Amino acid sequence: MATLVWLHGGACNGNTQSFLNAEEPTIVDLVTDFGIEILYHHSCIPLMGEQAKETLQKILAAGGPDIFVFEGSVIQGPKGTGRYDIFLDRPMKDWVADFAASATFTVAIGDCACWGGIPATKPNPTDSIGLQYLKGAKGGFLGSEYRSKAGLPVINIPGCPAHPDWVTQILVAVATGRGADVALDDLQRPQTFFKTFTQTGCTRVQYFEWKEPVEEFGQGTRKGCLFYEQGCRGPLTHSPCNRILWNRQSSKTRAGMPCIGCTEPQFPHNDLEVGTVFKTQKVFGVIPKEVPEGTDALSYSVHAAVARAASPKWAKEDMFVI
Ligand code: SF4
Ligand code: SF4
């Protein structure tokens, strides 16, 4: 049996909505098959007001939960008081500090909890911050030296929102005693989900190879790759969105919507250039400003020009894309 407390800071509740839709495993499976006892979750446990406050206080007095999950940014404003986000008579940031200090494992769910997310985007009026990062800079609310009782840093499961199965599968690993074995990448994300690029498994990848673009947004059944005109960040983003499909059915890129890079700390990207999210940014109107990791813009552009010139007839024709 592993106890779990889930708190919610500055966010839209999207990660809870995602969590409620988990399929492999479901939330019910977490409880019945994997022995997770959810002591507090604002949408799953019917506790409010004084009852909720007493419950949380008792959990802390008893030494804290096995798993502390936090969704949303930690709101520090105004002027470091945290009073923009009061929860059960205290700034939420104080609850976060107490639970993080007492939990065996601490898990950040979604971009806001991991990196500050949209609330922490400039000018960041609420002084929002992630648990152990502010955007790509390590530190965050808990500080870079923070370790949970198990000796681990915060386990970051980013996304806007995170895919439900990324969440429940990591919770199972932690609850069944394999939490210390979860290999993390440089940004403390589980490698099992975040080692590969979003592009892995994309049904448009053959067009990426031949540099054939899709010209219009939302063309789910049309040929072409979304990287060249539509701003797709699939080759620049670490996620398994085309390996572990959404709703077990599809992904953004399969449906004709560019990946907007929501699992990376810099999300939302291009936030200073209004209107550029769905438009590939280019140098001299030709060379993509950002190119896949491990190459440079000039080499990539030469390669792209040669590939496009050599692309076979089928790559230029309309084909059905799942
Ligand atoms: S649509 Fe995006 S993810 Fe798919 S192949 Fe093109 S760049 Fe990669
Ligand atoms: S496809 Fe990209 S933007 Fe969409 S959920 Fe996956 S990582 Fe996020």
Side-chain angles (χ1 to χ4, degrees):
M1 180 72 76
T3 56
L4 181 148
V5 166
W6 180 308
L7 296 182
H8 181 293
C12 65
N13 209 44
N15 286 282
T16 280
Q17 301 307 318
S18 191
F19 178 58
L20 293 173
N21 282 296
E23 289 182 82
E24 291 187 11
T26 66
I27 299 182
V28 174
D29 295 336
L30 292 186
V31 176
T32 58
D33 295 359
F34 297 104
I36 295 182
E37 186 183 359
I38 303 176
L39 301 177
Y40 184 79
H41 182 297
H42 53 283
S43 296
C44 301
I45 301 296
L47 287 174
M48 294 169 76
E50 282 304 309
Q51 272 185 323
K53 187 171 160 186
E54 280 171 26
T55 299
L56 293 181
Q57 286 171 336
K58 275 186 195 159
I59 296 166
L60 289 172
D66 295 313
I67 309 169
F68 170 45
V69 177
F70 192 60
E71 164 186 10
S73 65
V74 182
I75 291 179
Q76 304 176 113
K79 298 184 177 150
T81 63
R83 291 192 63 77
Y84 283 150
D85 184 13
I86 296 292
F87 176 64
L88 303 174
D89 301 330
R90 300 174 76 197
M92 177 57 91
K93 75 179 181 66
D94 294 350
W95 289 108
V96 170
D98 288 348
F99 276 100
S102 63
T104 309
F105 294 94
T106 297
V107 184
I109 305 284
D111 277 21
C112 303
C114 294
W115 339 111
I118 290 174
T121 300
K122 287 178 185 172
N124 192 2
T126 58
D127 196 9
S128 275
I129 195 167
L131 284 184
Q132 224 170 356
Y133 283 83
L134 175 57
K135 299 296 178 182
K138 200 161 178 175
F141 178 67
L142 298 173
S144 53
E145 301 305 314
Y146 167 80
R147 296 294 180 268
S148 64
K149 278 189 190 162
L152 289 183
V154 174
I155 299 173
N156 285 330
I157 307 182
C160 193
H163 187 296
D165 297 348
W166 309 343
V167 178
T168 53
Q169 287 176 24
I170 290 300
L171 292 181
V172 165
V174 171
T176 55
R178 290 174 292 126
D181 299 332
V182 175
L184 303 177
D185 71 6
D186 290 348
L187 293 165
Q188 298 168 205
R189 303 175 293 195
Q191 288 189 21
T192 185
F193 297 128
F194 297 100
K195 193 163 186 181
T196 57
F197 291 97
T198 310
Q199 195 171 39
T200 306
C202 179
T203 49
R204 298 172 188 270
V205 80
Q206 68 271 41
Y207 301 109
F208 179 81
E209 292 305 323
W210 292 112
K211 317 303 169 202
E212 286 295 341
V214 63
E215 305 285 352
E216 293 169 39
F217 179 82
Q219 297 297 303
T221 56
R222 199 174 158 206
K223 73 179 180 73
C225 166
L226 299 152
F227 180 70
Y228 303 101
E229 302 297 337
Q230 310 298 324
C232 185
R233 303 187 70 87
L236 310 163
T237 303
H238 296 85
S239 91
C241 290
N242 281 301
R243 290 193 285 122
I244 302 173
L245 298 179
W246 287 78
N247 298 318
R248 306 271 141 205
Q249 297 287 322
S250 194
S251 69
K252 282 193 181 79
T253 62
R254 290 180 184 213
M257 152 84 189
C259 168
I260 54 175
C262 81
T263 54
E264 299 295 337
Q266 295 78 16
F267 177 83
H269 304 270
N270 298 337
D271 53 30
L272 298 178
E273 297 171 63
V274 176
T276 59
V277 172
F278 299 131
K279 198 167 172 5
T280 303
Q281 299 301 289
K282 295 183 184 170
V283 181
F284 305 128
V286 187
I287 305 173
K289 211 166 162 186
E290 292 178 274
V291 293
E293 259 181 41
T295 185
D296 61 82
L298 185 60
S299 316
Y300 182 79
S301 297
V302 171
H303 165 70
V306 172
R308 191 171 290 177
S311 77
K313 188 164 168 281
W314 62 259
K316 300 179 191 300
E317 293 169 347
D318 282 2
M319 286 179 73
F320 180 73
V321 178
I322 299 166

